[in-house]
Amino acid sequence: MNDRTTPPGFSVVICAYTEDRWEDTLAAVASVRDQSLPPLEILLVVDHNERLLSRLTEEYARRPAEGVRVLANTGPRGLSAGRNTGIAAARGAFVAFLDDDAVAAPDWLHHFAAAYDDPRVLAVGGRTLPAWASGRRPAWFPEEFDWVVGCTYRGLPPGRVRVRNVLGGNASFRRTAFDAAGGFATGIGRDGDRRPLGGEETELCIRLARALPDAVLLIDDRAVIHHKVPAARERFGYFRTRVYAEGLSKALVARSVGAQKGLESERRYTTRVLPAGVLRGFRDALRGRPGGAGRAGAIVTGVTLAAGGYALGTLRARRDGTAFAWGPIETPANAVAGPAGASTAEGASR
């Protein structure tokens, strides 16, 4: 599939796995439907949850004019395979991804589209802002670690800038990028309720740059989404678990693409952004501002745990080999139209 055989416009993929996020998923879909630049289609991919698949299929069968197709993940459990299922079914020249617990600002797709005026651009990401369940950021939580809750973190450059990789919960790609590099790697990244790993979009973007050395990948901070942060993820216990898991993930990525590329951005972040954050925290503490010492301590703890995860992950990868795989995106032959314009894989709802 290439840009000459696909219609212009965006196929937006939203992956869902739990009924606990039912209202959030409906809100995510509504935010895409209400874009100033309407999407070509919205693809809801359900990750091995038959009840959720049935409910969403019925929900959008009643609203065929909204252009929502509901699909079952045709690969192994996990976010990467779910995204690959969406890519394979996508009909647009561009594929955008939105988390099921996020809502996009009205001009989200418009800003993505503007960046693709340059034919060298193969991926565009945006800015993800946290929507804290408590209504405000915990005083101890450093902005430098907002990636822990799936959001844009302090240290990323502002504006529309070239980057090594986009962040998967708020990102878009030319459909041809997947023809060149294959899909997201399975065996890495999120998998339901297992340890909160990540790194799948980093590995894909590095692989894409290797396949197409002239490729340009951008982040435009005007392409905004608001990502829900539940109360459980505002706690220090989740923070510790997530940063340790990120270290494990980075070890897998480095094993796959090499430490030079796999840790290129992380070196600047660790040597410049984080020390500045520690100093800022101590300065705030000396000025009597709440949470300053806590933020400095969280940064030091985060670095230590991530380094420990990376060391252990490196040892495991050397012992066991790379634990994930990727392949070409293949359009499924068994895709059929569902009732009233919904869509699923044949037999998936049985």
Side-chain angles (χ1 to χ4, degrees), residues 291-308:
R295 290 191 295 275
I299 292 174
V300 173
T301 300
V303 171
T304 303
L305 288 173

Side-chain angles (χ1 to χ4, degrees), residues 168-249:
N170 179 9
S172 64
F173 293 82
R174 287 191 193 272
R175 180 61 179 78
T176 51
F178 303 108
D179 297 332
F184 289 92
T186 57
I188 189 174
R190 295 289 180 134
D191 180 4
D193 295 325
R194 289 174 53 188
R195 175 173 284 157
L197 299 172
E200 65 274 17
E201 63 272 5
T202 300
E203 193 274 339
L204 171 63
C205 289
I206 293 173
R207 188 169 8 107
L208 175 59
R210 284 183 170 178
L212 298 172
D214 293 332
V216 173
L217 286 71
L218 301 173
I219 285 182
D220 188 335
D221 65 6
R222 296 171 298 175
V224 174
I225 71 169
H226 299 269
H227 186 262
K228 192 172 184 178
V229 182
R233 296 188 180 184
E234 294 186 7
R235 297 170 186 157
F236 192 60
Y238 179 81
F239 179 90
R240 294 197 310 265
T241 300
R242 180 67 184 90
V243 294
Y244 177 74
E246 184 69 8
L248 295 173
S249 301

